[in-house]
Amino acid sequence: MENRGKRGRYIVIKKRTDLAAEARELWRESAGETTELSGVEARTSSESGFAVETVKILDERGEAALGKPKGTYISIDLDPLMKREEGAFARAAAVVADKLRGLLKLKEGESVLVCGLGNSAITPDNIGPGAVKNTLATRHLVAAMPEDFAAFRPVAVLEAGVLGTTGVESAEIVRAVAEKVAPAAVIAVDALASRRMARICRTLQISDTGIVPGSGVGNARSELSENTLGVPVISVGVPTVVDAGTLAADLMEQAGIGESSSADFAQFGGSMVVTPREIDSQVDECARLIGYGINMALHELTVEDIAMLV
Amino acid sequence: MENRGKRGRYIVIKKRTDLAAEARELWRESAGETTELSGVEARTSSESGFAVETVKILDERGEAALGKPKGTYISIDLDPLMKREEGAFARAAAVVADKLRGLLKLKEGESVLVCGLGNSAITPDNIGPGAVKNTLATRHLVAAMPEDFAAFRPVAVLEAGVLGTTGVESAEIVRAVAEKVAPAAVIAVDALASRRMARICRTLQISDTGIVPGSGVGNARSELSENTLGVPVISVGVPTVVDAGTLAADLMEQAGIGESSSADFAQFGGSMVVTPREIDSQVDECARLIGYGINMALHELTVEDIAMLV
Amino acid sequence: MENRGKRGRYIVIKKRTDLAAEARELWRESAGETTELSGVEARTSSESGFAVETVKILDERGEAALGKPKGTYISIDLDPLMKREEGAFARAAAVVADKLRGLLKLKEGESVLVCGLGNSAITPDNIGPGAVKNTLATRHLVAAMPEDFAAFRPVAVLEAGVLGTTGVESAEIVRAVAEKVAPAAVIAVDALASRRMARICRTLQISDTGIVPGSGVGNARSELSENTLGVPVISVGVPTVVDAGTLAADLMEQAGIGESSSADFAQFGGSMVVTPREIDSQVDECARLIGYGINMALHELTVEDIAMLV
Amino acid sequence: MENRGKRGRYIVIKKRTDLAAEARELWRESAGETTELSGVEARTSSESGFAVETVKILDERGEAALGKPKGTYISIDLDPLMKREEGAFARAAAVVADKLRGLLKLKEGESVLVCGLGNSAITPDNIGPGAVKNTLATRHLVAAMPEDFAAFRPVAVLEAGVLGTTGVESAEIVRAVAEKVAPAAVIAVDALASRRMARICRTLQISDTGIVPGSGVGNARSELSENTLGVPVISVGVPTVVDAGTLAADLMEQAGIGESSSADFAQFGGSMVVTPREIDSQVDECARLIGYGINMALHELTVEDIAMLV
């Protein structure tokens, strides 16, 4: 499972997770607290009651150590939301909006394409489709009634589907539509995979490195990034499952037992996941949060405004 | 509402309907049974127990008379299906498949893009989205495992969304994806509008003239046709509503009363529709029929095969 | 359709509508403005920006004239909500709650059974099922943790289903559960039928006379009232359709044409309805309003509190 | 976790599973293959290509050993269905119907109440609600048109809801309705819990001992059995999740490690489950199978007939 080998002069990690903060945590566990993690900067803060961790991967060493491309990864701990603290939804949406704005760096009037990735018929994969259902499309309104919608940015919204039901890579569909729409930036929303149960529906990650749809769950499709789309791609996601085989292997490893003990899991490889019993409502909540955060980042809107508009 | 005026030398119709067979019926009613309808050929047949009417618009005179472009329009009366006659679904799907194959004229192995138009969140507009949910995507399978899927044609499937939720014309999205996928033909599925209650969820129309999404319900978007896509576009649809204002005006006219009597309807113009009480289940049934018919037209599959695959 | 006959000494109405305010309007139209409507009191007011009409049927004469049992019928015009005026939802919910409290006359701690009637699989019939999905069940919480839930009234919530899918009259199911739960009052929510398009999803009626499920749409089932349940039954509903045949007949009558002209409609009798094109979202909105109004009537809760709890 | 203690003179098991076949397997693993399991009879067979295991608990010793009441427990291995073998659905439904008929022992014309337990808003808990949506209600038809429906048994169908959304124990609701409907037998459908991933959506259990809703997942509600309802109660269910904490503990135990190692799981106790990635479609399939099996057990119907009727 894990590999403490060397690549050049530095320790690298092979444990697969979509979350940079978790990759850093795993690296620390494997390398030991005293080893320095070069090429990576991290800091934590508290914003409107939410713990925020920002991991910056600065160079090749950081990329190799954490197994992710250079860039900024911001993770927001959703615990206050899931505990239903007073006003938590509005505060969380404001934090998401603030972080998105920071990475998007849009000028006034620049347009955005928001893409939901994932299969809406599979509950834990419904983060992307659910988020775009909560995202306001304004491109046509701004074009048709520019004065009435002067306060709005042109936003196009796409549910990109999945290969299994469309026969077309979702990245290919996003590229096709982006070419027509010519946005200044793309926001791509997808479910993520983590290795820790404590993260499921509890961590929201925003990054400026784009997204490789499905990469976290074993069926890598093609890349969505500035490389492939020609404009910045900001990704937003929440982990909704831990692969059951991975979890079992991790447990065995923690218990000091080799891989053979988890042979029973081989037959379920990739087909079984660990997920909250209340996954349906938690995915809905996270998807709504992302949609609202995007709307608030792109337009001057409050949570109440959006509730009236979507 | 209606206009018996002349355009050049022939009688034209302004009553708006998506159905060529109905347009012809309306023309007859307005022009009188003895007037000849030039430029239009029509014939009826019975296939597997279903009444089929084929209207061919041959030239400009036909186009002007019926208000539709040149081409072939085939309508299938779904009455036996709605009466739940034994085996009606399988027979209806076979008739749909047969008519589609006749218009598609595909060579072996040529690929197809199937597009569902309409808003899945509005029940009577869910014909297109519902049909594509019942359509098998095979393009990726044929590409990845050509030998295993030798019996299948490459098919891509797209739910094109609606302007109000995407901010992008659905025709623009179809064009973008068609450019990437490069199909030999496009099948476009949409809900239609008719003027006759007896047609609602009772007539399925297939034509080789493409589709203008939403044209039947007043919000014309841009065209999907060989002109705009560069490959043949076969349209499939079922009417699911009659506009309430139109129906009232038609009734008034039949009763020999002028337009003023229907002034009450003005305030509901376009916002009220006449629909079957059981619209939810009837739309589901029609959408499933279209999906199955498409699958059977494009691959060598039976209804039972498809039931296992979708 | 209509009958201006006499029953005893007073004019009666046979036009079927679930709305007392509309029945009064129809009576006035048929009897003429100068005739006195005995046994009925009506007054209008404006509350938080919503027009409210209260019709009290006082005696047998009123019952015969309006075709409804003695009691109080309050109708709230939802126009500001459907126009999305600022804060309209919260204000409307507060008006609904206020009117419900006035008719319920509950003592502190008395329990309530809230029943949703109608078929959730038929969009315009989904008012009752949709409302109960927005209603908080607290009976078990108050019983298990009386101190933590001291501020809540015990509320049980039942989706009673429909005869076609359960094989049991919904009234029979409500009675069975009411016997076990022994509430101090029952609130029954159902879709209503009106004769006027302008009322659809625009009028919310609350009455203290109970409900005959489905009576407005032709398939009368048995009664839900203090007579049959032994406790007060408050009904809440919104009309979602006008029967197409009825509408056509009304139009013909207005145009001074006899019944024969509407013979075309006979074949669609009861199967076709007039409904807003946006019926799905309007039914959702009305059902949510009723659920929120009920929660606010029964507990000390704000709209924001409820949004966090349902 | 486990207890190899003695109760009287025999070995008992405390590992919680809803499946008698699995309880027997767990007992064997803990007691060793050579120990005799008294009071329990088991046999396996193959029916229409499906492996069937019948466990009969004969007396108190069997009850204590397997932790379940006396009675017959039939489990059907759904593997051929999930592998989409040709004709598997129709064959599986016929096996379910056959086993149900064997336990129901109904006389001609005797009526049945079919109850779906569980929360339809939680995907893995949607077995019961999904099954009843596929079950034909005929009680009202047989009553209204006895001659037309002479071939049908009167069947009432109830979705009993869950305590959290109704405020009333589902068993209490079933009892209330059963008293009104007075059926000769009750069939109760619910999601089950197992301890083995290999069983999830792969084993369907039918028993004549009734059901304790939710017992398998930790929130025991009250009993549904001949004791409480006065008529035989046949239960049908499919396991859809394994509790993640239980699974981890089982793994640790297999690896020879004590409970302390699984302390990490304590915080997720009951809130995390292991489930197939494709849980949505697998639950739908199993629920449909149960509904069809019930219809075929109660009436003379084929799979094709039912497809036309539901």
Side-chain angles (χ1 to χ4, degrees):
Chain A
M1 288 288 109
E2 180 175 332
N3 187 326
R4 295 176 195 199
K6 309 251 173 174
R7 177 170 159 205
R9 302 194 340 270
Y10 34 86
I11 294 169
V12 300
I13 188 165
K14 289 246 180 84
K15 278 197 173 164
R16 184 75 191 77
T17 169
D18 285 334
L19 299 170
E22 189 173 276
R24 184 169 163 271
E25 194 179 291
L26 293 166
W27 189 92
R28 289 227 154 279
E29 287 173 13
S30 69
E33 284 295 321
T34 56
T35 316
E36 196 197 354
L37 173 50
S38 306
V40 174
E41 263 179 28
R43 64 189 160 76
T44 59
S45 58
S46 174
E47 307 192 20
S48 304
F50 288 82
V52 175
E53 181 168 359
T54 304
V55 173
K56 289 192 185 183
I57 300 182
L58 304 168
D59 58 25
E60 280 197 329
R61 292 170 305 169
E63 288 189 330
L66 301 194
K68 318 213 143 296
K70 262 193 295 188
T72 300
Y73 301 82
I74 300 168
S75 58
I76 303 168
D77 182 339
L78 302 179
D79 210 46
L81 181 66
M82 292 300 162
K83 284 182 178 150
R84 302 193 163 279
E85 285 183 9
E86 179 135 17
F89 185 83
R91 283 185 286 124
V95 174
V96 172
D98 181 58
K99 296 302 162 193
L100 276 171
R101 266 191 304 258
L103 295 182
L104 281 164
K105 301 185 194 84
L106 291 168
K107 299 195 188 97
E108 199 186 314
E110 282 187 333
S111 73
V112 173
L113 171 62
V114 181
C115 299
L117 305 168
N119 188 341
S120 63
I122 295 182
T123 301
D125 207 23
N126 195 27
I127 290 286
V132 298
K133 284 187 187 81
N134 284 287
T135 304
L136 300 168
T138 55
R139 178 177 174 266
H140 58 307
L141 302 171
V142 174
M145 296 168 281
E147 277 156 42
D148 293 349
F149 287 86
F152 287 79
R153 185 183 292 285
V155 175
V157 177
L158 179 70
E159 193 179 325
V162 290
L163 185 60
T165 57
T166 66
V168 187
E169 294 286 355
S170 53
E172 211 175 343
I173 290 180
V174 172
R175 264 199 305 277
V177 174
E179 282 167 21
K180 294 277 174 202
V181 168
V186 168
I187 299 176
V189 187
D190 201 359
L192 306 177
S194 73
R195 289 184 97 87
R196 295 275 152 97
M197 286 193 291
R199 300 264 187 195
I200 303 180
C201 296
R202 287 290 177 285
T203 296
L204 184 153
Q205 177 177 279
I206 304 171
S207 98
D208 59 3
T209 60
I211 204 163
V212 181
S215 67
V217 289
N219 57 337
R221 285 162 266 167
S222 58
E223 191 174 311
L224 280 180
S225 69
E226 187 153 5
N227 277 345
T228 60
L229 296 183
V231 294
V233 180
I234 308 302
S235 66
V236 188
V238 169
T240 56
V241 298
V242 175
D243 181 79
T246 304
L247 180 70
D250 284 358
L251 283 171
M252 290 301 161
E253 188 193 292
Q254 280 169 36
I257 300 170
E259 285 183 44
S260 61
S261 302
S262 63
D264 293 353
F265 281 88
Q267 64 174 307
F268 304 109
S271 73
M272 289 282 164
V273 293
V274 181
T275 197
R277 197 180 292 281
E278 311 273 333
I279 182 69
D280 303 75
S281 59
Q282 293 188 11
V283 164
D284 281 356
E285 180 91 345
C286 290
R288 201 167 73 97
L289 174 65
I290 295 172
Y292 275 58
I294 290 172
N295 292 328
M296 290 164 71
L298 300 180
H299 318 287
E300 294 295 327
L301 292 171
T302 65
V303 164
E304 288 72 32
D305 295 335
I306 300 167
M308 295 231 313
L309 294 169
V310 291
Chain B
M1 286 288 108
E2 181 177 330
N3 188 327
R4 295 177 196 197
K6 309 253 175 175
R7 178 169 158 207
R9 302 194 341 270
Y10 35 83
I11 294 169
V12 301
I13 188 166
K14 288 245 180 85
K15 277 196 174 165
R16 184 75 192 78
T17 169
D18 285 335
L19 300 169
E22 189 174 276
R24 184 171 164 271
E25 194 179 292
L26 293 167
W27 189 92
R28 289 226 154 281
E29 287 173 12
S30 68
E33 285 296 320
T34 57
T35 314
E36 196 197 354
L37 172 50
S38 305
V40 174
E41 263 179 29
R43 65 189 158 76
T44 59
S45 59
S46 173
E47 306 191 21
S48 304
F50 289 83
V52 175
E53 181 169 359
T54 303
V55 172
K56 289 194 185 180
I57 300 182
L58 304 169
D59 58 24
E60 281 198 328
R61 291 170 306 169
E63 289 189 331
L66 301 194
K68 319 213 144 296
K70 262 192 294 188
T72 301
Y73 301 82
I74 302 168
S75 59
I76 304 168
D77 182 339
L78 301 178
D79 210 46
L81 181 67
M82 292 300 163
K83 283 181 178 150
R84 301 193 164 278
E85 284 183 11
E86 178 134 19
F89 185 84
R91 284 185 286 125
V95 175
V96 171
D98 182 57
K99 296 302 164 194
L100 276 171
R101 266 191 304 259
L103 296 182
L104 280 163
K105 301 186 195 84
L106 290 168
K107 298 196 188 94
E108 200 186 315
E110 283 188 332
S111 72
V112 173
L113 171 62
V114 181
C115 299
L117 305 168
N119 189 341
S120 63
I122 295 181
T123 301
D125 205 23
N126 195 26
I127 290 287
V132 297
K133 284 186 187 82
N134 284 287
T135 304
L136 300 169
T138 55
R139 177 176 175 267
H140 58 307
L141 302 171
V142 174
M145 296 168 283
E147 278 157 41
D148 293 350
F149 287 86
F152 288 80
R153 185 183 293 285
V155 175
V157 177
L158 179 70
E159 194 179 325
V162 290
L163 185 60
T165 57
T166 67
V168 187
E169 294 286 355
S170 53
E172 210 174 343
I173 290 180
V174 173
R175 264 199 306 275
V177 174
E179 283 168 20
K180 295 277 173 200
V181 169
V186 168
I187 299 176
V189 186
D190 202 359
L192 306 178
S194 74
R195 289 183 98 88
R196 295 276 152 96
M197 286 193 292
R199 301 265 188 195
I200 303 181
C201 295
R202 287 292 178 284
T203 297
L204 184 153
Q205 177 176 278
I206 304 172
S207 97
D208 60 2
T209 61
I211 204 163
V212 181
S215 67
V217 288
N219 57 336
R221 285 162 266 170
S222 58
E223 192 174 311
L224 280 180
S225 69
E226 187 154 5
N227 276 346
T228 60
L229 295 183
V231 294
V233 181
I234 307 302
S235 66
V236 189
V238 169
T240 56
V241 299
V242 175
D243 182 81
T246 304
L247 180 70
D250 285 359
L251 282 170
M252 291 302 162
E253 187 193 292
Q254 280 170 37
I257 300 170
E259 285 183 43
S260 60
S261 302
S262 63
D264 294 354
F265 280 88
Q267 63 174 309
F268 304 110
S271 72
M272 289 281 166
V273 293
V274 181
T275 197
R277 197 180 293 280
E278 312 273 333
I279 182 69
D280 302 75
S281 59
Q282 293 188 12
V283 164
D284 281 356
E285 180 90 346
C286 291
R288 201 168 73 97
L289 174 64
I290 295 172
Y292 275 57
I294 290 172
N295 292 327
M296 289 163 71
L298 299 180
H299 318 288
E300 293 294 326
L301 293 171
T302 64
V303 164
E304 288 72 33
D305 295 335
I306 300 167
M308 295 231 314
L309 294 169
V310 292
Chain C
M1 284 289 109
E2 181 176 331
N3 188 326
R4 295 177 194 197
K6 308 251 175 175
R7 177 171 158 203
R9 301 192 341 270
Y10 34 86
I11 294 169
V12 301
I13 189 166
K14 290 243 180 87
K15 279 195 172 165
R16 185 73 191 80
T17 169
D18 285 336
L19 299 170
E22 189 173 277
R24 183 168 165 272
E25 196 178 291
L26 293 166
W27 189 92
R28 289 228 152 280
E29 288 172 12
S30 69
E33 283 296 322
T34 56
T35 314
E36 196 198 352
L37 171 50
S38 305
V40 175
E41 263 178 30
R43 66 190 158 76
T44 59
S45 58
S46 173
E47 307 192 20
S48 304
F50 288 83
V52 175
E53 181 170 358
T54 304
V55 173
K56 288 194 186 183
I57 299 183
L58 305 169
D59 58 25
E60 282 197 328
R61 291 170 306 169
E63 289 189 329
L66 302 193
K68 321 213 143 295
K70 260 192 295 186
T72 300
Y73 301 82
I74 301 168
S75 59
I76 303 169
D77 182 339
L78 301 179
D79 210 46
L81 181 67
M82 291 300 163
K83 284 182 178 150
R84 301 191 163 279
E85 284 182 11
E86 178 135 16
F89 184 83
R91 283 186 285 124
V95 174
V96 171
D98 182 57
K99 296 302 162 194
L100 275 171
R101 265 193 303 260
L103 295 182
L104 279 164
K105 302 187 195 82
L106 290 169
K107 299 197 187 96
E108 200 186 315
E110 283 188 333
S111 72
V112 173
L113 172 62
V114 181
C115 299
L117 305 168
N119 189 341
S120 63
I122 295 180
T123 301
D125 207 23
N126 195 26
I127 291 286
V132 297
K133 284 186 187 79
N134 284 286
T135 304
L136 300 169
T138 55
R139 179 176 174 265
H140 57 306
L141 301 171
V142 174
M145 296 167 282
E147 277 157 41
D148 293 350
F149 288 86
F152 287 79
R153 186 183 292 285
V155 175
V157 177
L158 178 71
E159 195 179 325
V162 290
L163 185 61
T165 58
T166 65
V168 187
E169 294 286 355
S170 53
E172 210 175 344
I173 290 181
V174 172
R175 263 200 306 275
V177 174
E179 282 167 21
K180 294 276 175 204
V181 169
V186 168
I187 299 175
V189 186
D190 201 359
L192 305 179
S194 73
R195 290 183 97 89
R196 296 275 153 97
M197 287 193 290
R199 301 266 188 193
I200 303 181
C201 296
R202 286 292 178 285
T203 297
L204 184 152
Q205 177 177 279
I206 305 172
S207 97
D208 60 3
T209 60
I211 204 164
V212 181
S215 66
V217 290
N219 56 336
R221 285 161 266 167
S222 57
E223 192 176 312
L224 280 180
S225 68
E226 187 155 5
N227 277 345
T228 60
L229 296 184
V231 295
V233 180
I234 307 302
S235 66
V236 189
V238 169
T240 56
V241 298
V242 175
D243 181 78
T246 304
L247 180 69
D250 285 357
L251 282 170
M252 291 300 160
E253 187 194 292
Q254 280 169 38
I257 299 169
E259 287 183 41
S260 60
S261 301
S262 63
D264 292 355
F265 280 88
Q267 62 175 307
F268 304 110
S271 74
M272 289 283 166
V273 293
V274 180
T275 196
R277 198 181 292 281
E278 311 273 335
I279 181 70
D280 302 75
S281 59
Q282 293 188 11
V283 164
D284 281 356
E285 180 91 345
C286 290
R288 201 168 74 98
L289 174 65
I290 295 173
Y292 275 58
I294 290 172
N295 292 327
M296 289 164 71
L298 300 181
H299 318 288
E300 293 295 326
L301 293 170
T302 64
V303 164
E304 289 71 34
D305 295 335
I306 299 167
M308 295 230 313
L309 294 170
V310 291
Chain D
M1 287 288 110
E2 181 176 332
N3 187 326
R4 294 177 195 197
K6 308 253 174 175
R7 177 169 157 207
R9 300 194 339 271
Y10 35 84
I11 294 168
V12 301
I13 189 166
K14 289 245 181 85
K15 278 195 174 167
R16 185 74 192 78
T17 169
D18 284 336
L19 300 169
E22 189 173 277
R24 184 169 163 271
E25 195 179 290
L26 292 167
W27 189 92
R28 289 227 154 279
E29 288 173 12
S30 69
E33 284 297 320
T34 56
T35 315
E36 197 199 351
L37 172 49
S38 305
V40 174
E41 263 179 30
R43 65 191 158 76
T44 60
S45 59
S46 172
E47 307 191 20
S48 305
F50 288 82
V52 175
E53 182 169 359
T54 304
V55 173
K56 288 194 185 180
I57 300 183
L58 303 169
D59 58 24
E60 281 197 329
R61 291 169 306 168
E63 289 190 329
L66 301 194
K68 319 213 144 296
K70 263 193 292 188
T72 300
Y73 301 82
I74 301 168
S75 58
I76 304 168
D77 183 338
L78 301 179
D79 211 45
L81 180 68
M82 292 299 163
K83 283 180 178 150
R84 302 192 162 278
E85 284 181 11
E86 179 134 18
F89 184 84
R91 283 185 286 123
V95 174
V96 171
D98 182 57
K99 296 303 163 193
L100 276 171
R101 266 192 303 259
L103 295 182
L104 280 164
K105 301 186 194 85
L106 291 168
K107 299 198 188 93
E108 201 186 314
E110 283 188 332
S111 72
V112 173
L113 172 62
V114 181
C115 299
L117 305 168
N119 188 341
S120 63
I122 295 180
T123 301
D125 206 23
N126 195 26
I127 291 287
V132 298
K133 284 187 187 79
N134 285 286
T135 304
L136 301 168
T138 55
R139 179 176 174 265
H140 58 306
L141 302 171
V142 174
M145 297 168 281
E147 277 156 42
D148 293 350
F149 287 85
F152 287 80
R153 185 184 293 285
V155 174
V157 177
L158 179 70
E159 193 178 325
V162 290
L163 186 60
T165 56
T166 65
V168 187
E169 294 286 355
S170 54
E172 210 174 345
I173 290 180
V174 173
R175 263 200 305 276
V177 174
E179 282 168 20
K180 294 276 174 204
V181 169
V186 168
I187 299 177
V189 186
D190 201 0
L192 305 178
S194 73
R195 290 184 97 89
R196 295 276 152 96
M197 287 193 291
R199 300 266 187 193
I200 302 181
C201 295
R202 286 291 177 286
T203 297
L204 183 153
Q205 177 177 278
I206 304 172
S207 97
D208 60 3
T209 60
I211 204 163
V212 181
S215 67
V217 289
N219 57 337
R221 286 161 266 166
S222 58
E223 192 175 313
L224 280 180
S225 69
E226 187 154 4
N227 276 347
T228 60
L229 295 184
V231 295
V233 180
I234 307 302
S235 66
V236 188
V238 170
T240 56
V241 298
V242 175
D243 181 80
T246 304
L247 181 70
D250 285 358
L251 282 170
M252 291 301 162
E253 186 193 293
Q254 279 168 38
I257 299 169
E259 286 184 43
S260 59
S261 302
S262 63
D264 292 355
F265 280 87
Q267 63 175 308
F268 304 109
S271 73
M272 289 282 166
V273 293
V274 180
T275 196
R277 198 180 292 282
E278 311 274 334
I279 182 70
D280 302 76
S281 59
Q282 293 189 10
V283 164
D284 281 356
E285 180 91 345
C286 291
R288 200 168 73 97
L289 175 64
I290 295 173
Y292 275 57
I294 290 172
N295 292 328
M296 290 164 71
L298 300 181
H299 318 287
E300 293 295 326
L301 293 170
T302 65
V303 164
E304 288 72 33
D305 296 335
I306 299 168
M308 295 231 314
L309 294 169
V310 291

